């Protein structure tokens, strides 16, 4: 089954404790991206990657890091989490060229992160 | 500054009636518009899209209308069904490579 898999699905952590949210896709998609969903703000892009070793900032990159060493994986790293990073996170992927024209995004099921 | 706006956070509609969801945008460089649907505890899934060269696209019960001069699009669901109860996100692309801009979402509740 074609899918985007995120882990963990739920996580409660404390301020300053480094964490990684993993994302893996099995569709051989070149483009991958991370979004966060917050009430009243919708989905905001954190980082995206057009291909292996190519990453770029989205609209809200502060406090996050990413890497794209393999095509299928795109982990999101919070080096020193803070309470304002409490959110619902989504990883997504699409065909080459990213979400333009008819290239739609396939989303993972989401990771709910709480930072105390 | 949000470039895609969904000003109605929620919408309640009776089963069998029409649901109309609205979306406004500010960036004239957008050239493709999409609607995504999201159920609780799931990721958003693609619903329907429209290119800026068209003013209407239809797929079964779902129709999207685009008014470029007003920078406005709408999604019509006819007839509405209980399974349509979800959050609907409007999204736009084309102004910046690799980026997709989402609205805040509209929660639709279809009542029997």
């Amino acid at each position: 089954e074609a899918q985007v898999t995120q882990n963990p699905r739920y996580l409660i952590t404390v301020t300053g404790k480094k964490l990684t949210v993993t994302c893996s896709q099995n569709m051989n998609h070149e483009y991958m991206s991370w979004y966060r969903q917050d009430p009243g703000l919708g989905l905001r892009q954190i980082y995206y990657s057009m291909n292996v070793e190519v990453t770029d900032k989205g609209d809200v990159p502060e406090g996050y890091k990413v890497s794209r060493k393999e095509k299928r994986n795109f982990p999101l790293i919070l080096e020193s989490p803070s309470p304002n990073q409490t959110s619902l996170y989504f990883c997504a992927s699409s065909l080459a060229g990213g979400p333009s024209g008819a290239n739609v995004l396939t989303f993972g099921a989401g990771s709910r992160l709480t930072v105390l | 500054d949000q470039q895609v706006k969904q000003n109605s956070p929620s919408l309640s509609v009776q089963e069998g009636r029409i649901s109309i969801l609205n979306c406004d945008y500010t960036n004239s460089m957008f050239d493709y518009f999409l609607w995504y649907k999201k159920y609780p505890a799931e990721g958003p899934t693609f619903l329907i899209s429209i290119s800026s060269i068209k003013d209407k696209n239809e797929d079964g019960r779902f129709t999207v209308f685009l008014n470029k001069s007003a920078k406005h699009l709408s999604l019509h669901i006819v007839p509405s069904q209980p399974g349509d109860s979800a959050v609907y996100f409007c999204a736009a692309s084309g102004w910046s490579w690799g980026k997709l801009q989402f609205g805040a979402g509209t929660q639709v509740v279809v009542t029997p």
Side-chain angles (χ1 to χ4, degrees):
Chain A
E1 180 189 353
Q3 60 186 359
V4 176
T5 303
Q6 299 178 223
N7 281 296
R9 293 289 313 278
Y10 302 91
L11 180 63
I12 300 175
T13 190
V14 295
T15 299
K17 186 176 181 181
K18 180 180 178 180
L19 68 93
T20 299
V21 186
T22 64
C23 174
S24 181
Q25 51 93 4
N26 63 359
M27 296 166 283
N28 202 36
H29 284 170
E30 292 193 0
Y31 177 94
M32 297 185 75
S33 183
W34 277 101
Y35 293 85
R36 59 178 289 175
Q37 183 188 355
D38 300 290
L41 297 175
L43 293 157
R44 293 180 294 167
Q45 190 176 44
I46 304 170
Y47 269 94
Y48 64 96
S49 170
M50 299 295 276
N51 212 327
V52 176
E53 301 292 0
V54 180
T55 63
D56 210 343
K57 295 178 181 179
D59 296 320
V60 288
E62 296 78 19
Y64 304 95
K65 284 176 58 177
V66 293
S67 67
R68 187 91 182 273
K69 293 181 169 48
E70 308 165 280
K71 198 172 188 178
R72 64 183 292 125
N73 296 323
F74 191 45
L76 179 70
I77 303 157
L78 286 74
E79 293 270 2
S80 182
S82 62
N84 65 12
Q85 293 178 296
T86 292
S87 187
L88 180 57
Y89 291 86
F90 290 100
C91 181
S93 69
S94 74
L95 293 169
S100 60
N103 280 355
V104 300
L105 289 170
T106 300
F107 283 86
S111 296
R112 184 166 291 282
L113 172 64
T114 301
V115 183
L116 301 175
Chain B
D1 184 32
Q2 283 201 296
Q3 300 181 67
V4 177
K5 298 178 183 178
Q6 294 177 255
N7 292 319
S8 297
S10 64
L11 172 68
S12 183
V13 63
Q14 264 191 321
E15 183 177 0
R17 306 292 291 266
I18 183 171
S19 294
I20 299 177
L21 289 76
N22 294 304
C23 178
D24 296 296
Y25 62 95
T26 58
N27 192 333
S28 57
M29 298 292 289
F30 289 147
D31 64 3
Y32 216 85
F33 303 90
L34 308 96
W35 287 92
Y36 282 81
K37 177 179 178 179
K38 184 185 178 304
Y39 292 117
E42 295 182 13
T45 55
F46 169 72
L47 184 60
I48 191 170
S49 63
I50 187 167
S51 163
S52 60
I53 63 173
K54 295 186 174 182
D55 55 20
K56 177 183 174 181
N57 188 28
E58 196 171 349
D59 183 2
R61 296 186 296 113
F62 303 92
T63 303
V64 56
F65 297 92
L66 175 62
N67 182 333
K68 282 186 65 178
S69 60
K71 293 191 176 68
H72 176 84
L73 64 154
S74 61
L75 174 68
H76 291 208
I77 307 173
V78 184
S80 299
Q81 299 175 353
D84 297 329
S85 295
V87 176
Y88 291 78
F89 291 101
C90 174
S93 67
W95 91 106
S96 182
W97 197 248
K99 293 191 174 184
L100 186 64
Q101 195 83 22
F102 284 86
T106 297
Q107 171 76 60
V108 172
V109 176
V110 180
T111 57

